[in-house]
Amino acid sequence: MELTRVAVGSGSCTVRIDGPVSKHAVLLLPGKGDPVDLYDDVCERLHHSDLRTVAVESIENLDETSAVVLLDELNIAWVNLVGHREGADLAWLLAARQFGRFASLIAVDRGHPSASDIAGVPPVEVPTTVVVGSGGRAIADASGRFVYSDFRVTELPGVDDVVKSAPAELATEIVLRTSPW
């Protein structure tokens, strides 16, 4: 695994880059306070599917502009977005406002912000999957009206934290979204 520190905005961001060199990359955004190794199990599975992973250790210094700067600095022009909780909020925003930069969106444990009556985030126009554990189905379903592309909801009953408790299922959803078929 390659640890890289990139200057973004007024701070810096550490990312963990790993996996085969491939034209398919996945940007993984954690929630606030998530441990740095949150996506390790997911990444290991994604590497077996020929996907390069860029796991952000903390979204503390990231916003829409600095996330694009991060991708530019890493020379990643086209990427699949994955976000967990607050990282998913940022992923929704990026997918909505940076058209042509992102191939797909997988939002984990978080629906579209406008489905929760948070104004200001436009609809997205990329294939989108919302993966939720117990109790998250209603907001996930409500997100569908803010996705102008293929939309899927995956509910994992009995799971409280999808990334920690169901990495295989999450990796499967990511692989499905990154496949052109």
Side-chain angles (χ1 to χ4, degrees):
M1 170 190 332
E2 174 189 344
L3 281 175
T4 302
R5 194 157 188 82
V6 178
V8 292
S10 61
S12 64
C13 181
T14 302
V15 294
R16 306 166 85 176
I17 302 170
D18 206 354
V21 175
S22 167
K23 65 179 181 176
H24 299 286
V26 179
L27 177 64
L28 300 138
L29 302 169
K32 288 184 180 176
D34 281 342
V36 296
D37 63 349
L38 174 72
Y39 287 113
D40 283 0
D41 291 339
V42 174
C43 288
E44 183 179 333
R45 294 170 188 279
L46 295 177
H47 301 156
H48 293 295
S49 295
D50 200 30
L51 295 171
R52 186 138 181 94
T53 57
V54 179
V56 174
E57 288 193 346
S58 171
I59 62 166
E60 188 172 312
N61 292 322
L62 283 183
D63 58 16
E64 180 185 352
T65 303
S66 58
V68 172
V69 168
L70 172 70
L71 292 173
D72 289 342
E73 290 294 319
L74 296 172
N75 294 319
I76 300 173
W78 186 249
V79 69
N80 299 278
L81 278 171
V82 177
H84 181 242
R85 297 185 180 145
E86 294 85 3
D89 293 340
L90 177 58
W92 281 108
L93 186 64
L94 287 166
R97 294 195 177 148
Q98 299 293 324
F99 188 76
R101 189 73 192 251
F102 303 102
S104 67
L105 168 64
I106 297 89
V108 184
D109 290 328
R110 190 81 86 191
H112 190 283
S114 294
S116 300
D117 295 327
I118 299 171
V121 179
V124 299
E125 297 184 37
V126 296
T128 301
T129 300
V130 179
V131 183
V132 293
S134 298
R137 182 68 191 229
I139 198 71
D141 286 340
S143 300
R145 68 177 187 238
F146 301 102
V147 178
Y148 298 167
S149 187
D150 182 56
F151 177 70
R152 183 173 57 245
V153 173
T154 300
E155 181 180 18
L156 302 172
V159 174
D160 289 331
D161 188 327
V162 171
V163 180
K164 292 177 186 173
S165 303
E169 291 84 348
L170 177 57
T172 299
E173 293 300 326
I174 295 167
V175 168
L176 287 171
R177 275 293 169 216
T178 61
S179 298
W181 48 270

